Amino acid sequence: MKSFIFGLIFSIVLVVNPFQVTAASTPSGIPLEELETFVDQFASEHIGQKTVGASVVVLKDGDIVLSKGYGQGDVANNVPIDVETSVFEWGSISKLFVYVAVMQLVEQEQLDLQEDIRAYLPEDFLTRLQFDEPITLMHLINHQAGFEDYVFDLGYSEKRYVESLEDGLRRSEPKQIYPPGDVVAYSNYSNALAGYIVERVTGQPFYEYVEDQIFSTFAEPVEAAFVPNDPESTVETDKVNGYLRADLGEFIEGDPFYVSIYPAGGLNGTALDLAQFALALLPEDGESLLFEEGTTLEELLTQTYALTEDFPGLAHGFWEFPGSSRSVGHGGNTAAFSSNLQLVPEERFAVIVLTNQGGELHFTQELTSALIGLNSEKDSEALPDTQEISGSFQQSRKMDSSFIRLYYSLLKLTVEPNDSESITVNFGGEEAIYQQIRPYVYAYEEGSPLFLTMPYLHTEVEDGQLLRISSTGGYFLLEPPSNQVLMVVLFATCVYFIVATVVLLITWLIRRIRRSHKTSSNAFVGLHLVSFALVINVGVMAFRMLTNSARRFSEFYAQIGLNYALILVALVFVYFCIRSLFKNEHRKGALVLKLISLVLFVLLVMALVYWRMLG
């Protein structure tokens, strides 16, 4: 019954009439005097069951109107979250400090947002660019540089692997897979590269710049710092344990997150530290101490990219959220922490949520949306039928140059018409219903809180076919039919060689038991065994990456080398297999099976090359 009542309240505040909102309320219409009760009720539904712990801070008109900790910072020792002292990993909220730093330098005419970034970098810095068009600072800020999502050497669970920002950027440089300006594809590398440009222009480490030019302007001192990149910081000593949810009410301790390209996600601090940043971005008179001119803050929070008119996009790196009033902010995730910061500039309102749980969605997304509201007001004009809105799509944010390419191809967004006005969307095993509010624009209505990270979807239809879906977080592109074919080829050949190898082993055992001296072609047996070993090695590579994504690419050198060695050995067996086929001593059935084995081995190697399993 408690869940039903809270769900009813949440549904009401998500779609609130703006004329009912008073000055002393959240943008969604919750009176401030009822705010703590509302958040406490929300916490009682989730803390200890779906979420291990959280710090929540709410700001209104320059004041902190709620600051409270919920749950545990150390489950084993029953240590509660303390909003004043509990330190969390902020993850990608760190990126906002890069954008502020860039705008400070733009204001001082030390940087130009339209300048080719190579003007600020060493000559030999970027080596994997594929297009002639220049990448500008604005492209970096808008995630439009065209970089793939390179996940290796992004984060480590051990400090000893952390390098300097420059060395980290050189080691983890991604391949450019889109022309600059064409596609929004979220990029950690782009942000860290912008932070490195700040470092190059100012002549001081980025963490020092943030300390001197951003933290020092706050009304209250903060202990936040980039960990472990700032050697002077001791903030990590107060960091709570990070967790992953194992089951309802069960949590397992996760790994810490240390990063070389730290501007993209290395900040650690308390929720009140982050509140000082939010206050600096929401000054009473628009004159922020972060900038010399008040117009620079206004420019910072002005939209710099949107797919269409009235569709949320980006504001100098801040993601726009279609709340009851326009809001901007950023979420963050590390291996075992999740966070969210949302600002509503028109109402000088902000919500800060830090949780010590990887992939947490209820506090970071559901609670934030409940306090800000979601604008899903429907147009009165006639809307097109949803029956043409269906298909399978891949993220524009993807890795294309290693064996993780297959994982991104499997991570599809599927869309199906639900009725004449709504669609059902599935992504990563989660589902939600979206309601059409304007022609080809759909707003989140109900479902997994995962989809609150993309509350609006824009569908592009041409000649009755859905070609592309855009969200507030990037693009989803129609899956190429060739991908589906090659995926089937890869899985079919893997299954064939696994089954065939098992059959061969069983046959060999039976013959040993019966003391039979009959033998099969040794070359074909060898081909099956080597192919089986290749399939197993690739499977182990995928398993290692899926169980711990914070890995160095060098950890896979041995397995990649083994793949090449196995293929070379297999090619030797292929040579002898082909020679044996010219001998007239095969029964028809055996001949057909051997031909199938050769053809499928060739298809297996082609699929492994296409899916980058060899490097």
Side-chain angles (χ1 to χ4, degrees):
M1 179 59 71
K2 284 171 63 182
S3 298
F4 171 77
I5 293 171
F6 183 80
L8 182 62
I9 296 172
F10 178 61
S11 300
I12 293 171
V13 299
L14 271 183
V15 188
V16 66
N17 184 338
F19 294 106
Q20 295 175 338
V21 179
T22 66
S25 68
T26 71
S28 64
I30 301 169
L32 293 185
E33 62 267 22
E34 299 175 16
L35 177 61
E36 185 172 1
T37 301
F38 182 88
V39 177
D40 287 349
Q41 174 65 28
F42 183 93
S44 71
E45 294 289 319
H46 297 284
I47 289 293
Q49 297 298 307
K50 300 174 183 176
T51 305
V52 63
S55 272
V56 180
V57 176
V58 179
L59 310 176
K60 175 65 176 172
D61 294 329
D63 294 321
I64 295 175
V65 294
L66 174 70
S67 62
K68 201 165 184 179
Y70 298 92
Q72 301 296 311
D74 182 341
V75 173
N77 296 301
N78 196 32
V79 177
I81 297 289
D82 185 323
V83 72
E84 295 185 359
T85 61
S86 294
V87 170
F88 295 76
E89 295 174 359
W90 294 357
S92 288
I93 288 177
S94 309
K95 292 179 171 66
L96 300 182
F97 291 79
V98 174
Y99 305 135
V100 168
V102 166
M103 290 305 292
Q104 286 177 334
L105 296 174
V106 167
E107 181 182 65
Q108 297 165 23
E109 299 185 352
Q110 295 188 63
L111 287 177
D112 183 344
L113 293 177
Q114 304 306 325
E115 178 66 77
D116 186 334
I117 59 172
R118 286 174 292 191
Y120 304 114
L121 297 170
E123 287 187 12
D124 62 340
F125 201 80
L126 296 175
T127 62
R128 305 187 71 191
L129 300 182
Q130 306 295 311
F131 302 94
D132 294 330
E133 297 92 329
I135 299 173
T136 66
L137 261 173
M138 185 62 81
H139 287 145
L140 295 183
I141 287 172
N142 285 342
H143 298 276
Q144 291 182 297
F147 293 128
E148 67 174 333
D149 188 32
Y150 194 83
V151 298
F152 296 109
D153 295 289
L154 173 62
Y156 309 114
S157 56
E158 298 180 55
K159 293 181 185 180
R160 61 193 176 103
Y161 297 123
V162 174
E163 303 173 290
S164 69
L165 176 55
E166 177 175 346
D167 290 342
L169 286 167
R170 289 184 184 273
R171 181 181 297 278
S172 62
E173 181 186 348
K175 179 182 176 182
Q176 189 184 36
I177 59 175
Y178 306 111
D182 272 22
V183 172
V184 172
Y186 187 85
S187 172
N188 289 294
Y189 190 86
S190 290
N191 177 269
L193 188 57
Y196 177 61
I197 288 172
V198 170
E199 189 169 288
R200 293 268 299 173
V201 169
T202 61
Q204 65 180 141
F206 182 74
Y207 66 81
E208 282 187 9
Y209 180 90
V210 171
E211 180 73 36
D212 293 344
Q213 303 299 325
I214 298 180
F215 290 163
S216 66
T217 69
F218 294 166
E220 299 289 340
V222 299
E223 297 297 323
F226 289 98
V227 175
N229 314 84
D230 182 349
E232 303 297 322
S233 171
T234 58
V235 69
E236 193 177 16
T237 59
D238 293 323
K239 187 162 71 174
V240 298
N241 294 337
Y243 294 89
L244 299 171
R245 201 184 101 183
D247 203 348
L248 189 65
E250 296 181 10
F251 307 93
I252 57 174
E253 194 165 340
D255 293 324
F257 184 80
Y258 304 112
V259 57
S260 296
I261 57 172
Y262 65 87
L267 272 173
N268 287 206
T270 69
L272 290 176
D273 287 341
L274 191 52
Q276 291 300 311
F277 181 59
L279 288 168
L281 292 169
L282 299 171
E284 183 175 7
D285 55 4
E287 299 289 335
S288 173
L289 293 175
L290 289 167
F291 303 103
E292 296 173 6
E293 303 289 339
T295 55
T296 307
L297 175 60
E298 182 181 353
E299 182 182 356
L300 171 70
L301 302 181
T302 299
Q303 187 180 81
T304 53
Y305 170 81
L307 182 70
T308 62
E309 187 179 358
D310 297 328
F311 192 81
L314 284 152
H316 292 91
F318 288 69
W319 293 97
E320 294 182 315
F321 183 87
S324 301
S325 297
R326 174 181 177 265
S327 67
V328 295
H330 213 292
N333 279 281
T334 64
F337 289 81
S338 305
S339 56
N340 200 3
L341 165 65
Q342 289 293 325
L343 313 171
V344 185
E346 291 179 12
E347 302 189 31
R348 296 186 64 218
F349 182 88
V351 180
I352 295 159
V353 177
L354 303 180
T355 73
N356 56 330
Q357 181 176 317
E360 202 280 336
L361 292 168
H362 297 286
F363 269 76
T364 56
Q365 301 301 326
E366 196 174 346
L367 176 61
T368 300
S369 297
L371 300 182
I372 291 178
L374 177 61
N375 181 9
S376 55
E377 185 179 352
K378 197 171 182 179
D379 276 1
S380 58
E381 63 180 295
L383 300 174
D385 195 283
T386 63
Q387 294 309 303
E388 58 189 355
I389 307 299
S390 66
S392 179
F393 299 82
Q394 293 181 334
Q395 296 182 90
S396 58
R397 179 188 181 180
K398 62 182 181 179
M399 191 165 185
D400 194 63
S401 62
S402 85
F403 61 89
I404 304 299
R405 182 183 192 186
L406 178 61
Y407 168 77
Y408 281 95
S409 294
L410 292 171
L411 190 63
K412 301 173 186 176
L413 181 137
T414 59
V415 180
E416 296 294 337
N418 190 46
D419 53 38
S420 61
E421 297 182 343
S422 66
I423 57 175
T424 299
V425 182
N426 188 289
F427 182 63
E430 303 287 340
E431 191 171 271
I433 293 176
Y434 283 73
Q435 188 79 18
Q436 189 172 199
I437 59 171
R438 294 192 293 276
Y440 301 109
V441 174
Y442 292 79
Y444 171 90
E445 185 175 77
E446 61 178 341
S448 168
L450 168 68
F451 293 93
L452 288 170
T453 62
M454 41 184 169
Y456 276 16
L457 295 178
H458 180 274
T459 57
E460 296 179 50
V461 178
E462 186 176 303
D463 297 327
Q465 183 182 20
L466 179 58
L467 298 180
R468 183 166 72 172
I469 294 177
S470 303
S471 76
T472 48
Y475 287 168
F476 293 90
L477 309 174
L478 186 65
E479 182 182 25
S482 59
N483 272 9
Q484 299 174 357
V485 172
L486 284 165
M487 234 181 283
V488 171
V489 167
L490 177 62
F491 286 112
T493 53
C494 288
V495 169
Y496 172 79
F497 282 112
I498 291 171
V499 172
T501 302
V502 171
V503 170
L504 282 172
L505 289 173
I506 292 173
T507 303
W508 179 79
L509 286 171
I510 291 173
R511 285 175 178 168
R512 291 285 294 178
I513 293 170
R514 294 177 177 177
R515 299 183 182 279
S516 171
H517 297 292
K518 185 184 291 186
T519 60
S520 300
S521 169
N522 290 332
F524 280 96
V525 173
L527 178 62
H528 278 280
L529 291 175
V530 173
S531 299
F532 176 75
L534 187 63
V535 170
I536 294 301
N537 189 48
V538 167
V540 171
M541 289 170 65
F543 177 79
R544 290 180 65 202
M545 195 67 202
L546 290 173
T547 53
N548 180 10
S549 59
R551 290 191 181 274
R552 296 162 293 129
F553 188 66
S554 59
E555 292 181 51
F556 295 92
Y557 285 166
Q559 285 185 277
I560 291 171
L562 180 58
N563 280 341
Y564 280 106
L566 288 171
I567 287 176
L568 288 174
V569 172
L571 289 175
V572 174
F573 284 123
V574 167
Y575 168 75
F576 286 108
C577 288
I578 293 174
R579 282 189 59 182
S580 73
L581 289 177
F582 289 99
K583 298 178 181 179
N584 297 321
E585 35 185 76
H586 304 286
R587 284 180 295 185
K588 189 174 181 179
L591 180 63
V592 170
L593 286 175
K594 290 175 179 180
L595 286 171
I596 291 173
S597 296
L598 284 173
V599 170
L600 286 178
F601 173 74
V602 172
L603 291 176
L604 174 63
V605 173
M606 290 173 59
L608 292 179
V609 170
Y610 178 80
W611 294 114
R612 312 289 195 262
M613 298 292 180
L614 304 180

